[in-house]
């Protein structure tokens, strides 16, 4: 089961360094293991993500099919992505990791290319929808290329994706699937 939480940093203890960055594999208990986890403070936002193998996956010796990725653009802007692998897809764990990492890089590139950070203004809804569609389409094209190169059927890599751009001005969100 995947959890990804975005809240203003002020809601968390002052003991947490605002510039902290943690990336660890953590053993929760004998039944669950965190696949990938991250905590990043960025300006007013504190981004936390973890992908945990569920009981049915442990019982059936299946991998965690979820993945998350976070990358700062600067000290107050960044990209957070959460992917939930489709249980019916045999290699959705590979697909969710690929899509999370690709989405992070592609959306970071879009934000920088469009000079959204430099202009200190979020795009309007129509402009964001167009940028998000272009970004998600590029992720899909890259996934198709990856599947072909590695010998997978792209359907076997199926996952949902939620992309979040955090900033001091607010949030931008794009997604495919129920997340």
């Amino acid at each position: 089961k995947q959890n990804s939480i975005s809240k203003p940093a002020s809601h968390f203890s002052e003991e947490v360094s605002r510039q902290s960055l943690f990336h660890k594999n953590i053993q929760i208990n004998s039944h669950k293991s965190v696949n990938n986890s991250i905590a990043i403070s960025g300006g007013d936002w504190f981004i936390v993500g973890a992908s945990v193998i569920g009981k049915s996956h442990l019982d059936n010796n299946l991998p965690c099919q979820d993945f998350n990725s976070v990358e700062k653009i600067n000290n107050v802007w960044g990209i957070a992505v959460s992917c939930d692998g489709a249980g019916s897809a045999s290699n959705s764990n590979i697909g969710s990791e690929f899509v999370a990492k690709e989405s992070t890089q592609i959306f970071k590139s879009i934000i920088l290319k469009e000079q959204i950070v430099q202009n200190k203004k979020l795009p309007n809804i129509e402009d964001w929808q167009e940028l998000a569609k272009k970004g998600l389409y590029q992720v899909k094209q890259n996934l198709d290329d990856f599947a072909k190169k590695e010998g997978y059927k792209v359907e076997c890599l199926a996952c949902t994706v939620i992309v979040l751009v955090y900033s001091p001005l607010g949030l931008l969100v794009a997604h495919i699937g129920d997340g």
Side-chain angles (χ1 to χ4, degrees), residues 32-168:
K32 293 182 181 176
S33 177
V34 175
N35 186 39
N36 75 305
S37 64
I38 195 158
I40 292 180
S41 173
D44 292 334
W45 300 101
F46 192 77
I47 312 300
V48 178
S51 300
V52 180
I53 299 172
K55 182 175 177 354
S56 67
H57 285 163
L58 287 172
D59 291 346
N60 294 300
N61 200 28
L62 297 171
C64 181
Q65 296 171 326
D66 306 329
F67 203 85
N68 61 78
S69 176
V70 178
E71 185 164 334
K72 286 184 171 186
I73 294 173
N74 63 28
N75 285 334
V76 294
W77 286 75
I79 312 289
V81 177
S82 178
C83 292
D84 184 359
S88 61
S90 59
N91 297 108
S92 64
N93 58 313
I94 296 166
S96 67
E97 181 175 356
F98 181 88
V99 170
K101 290 177 178 179
E102 282 293 302
S103 297
T104 302
Q105 295 308 309
I106 287 170
F107 277 84
K108 180 179 179 181
S109 176
I110 288 170
I111 296 300
L112 294 173
K113 180 181 175 212
E114 296 295 320
Q115 298 186 335
I116 294 171
V117 175
Q118 294 87 334
N119 294 336
K120 298 180 182 175
K121 184 178 179 197
L122 295 177
N124 64 40
I125 259 186
E126 293 82 15
D127 290 343
W128 175 244
Q129 286 175 339
E130 286 305 310
L131 292 171
K133 282 180 193 177
K134 286 179 185 176
L136 292 169
Y137 182 74
Q138 185 62 56
V139 172
K140 173 64 167 91
Q141 285 183 311
N142 292 359
L143 182 64
D144 289 343
D145 293 344
F146 171 78
K148 187 175 181 178
K149 178 183 170 199
E150 297 297 323
Y152 294 110
K153 289 184 177 181
V154 74
E155 298 82 18
C156 295
L157 302 171
C159 67
T160 65
V161 60
I162 301 170
V163 177
L164 174 87
V165 179
Y166 63 89
S167 81

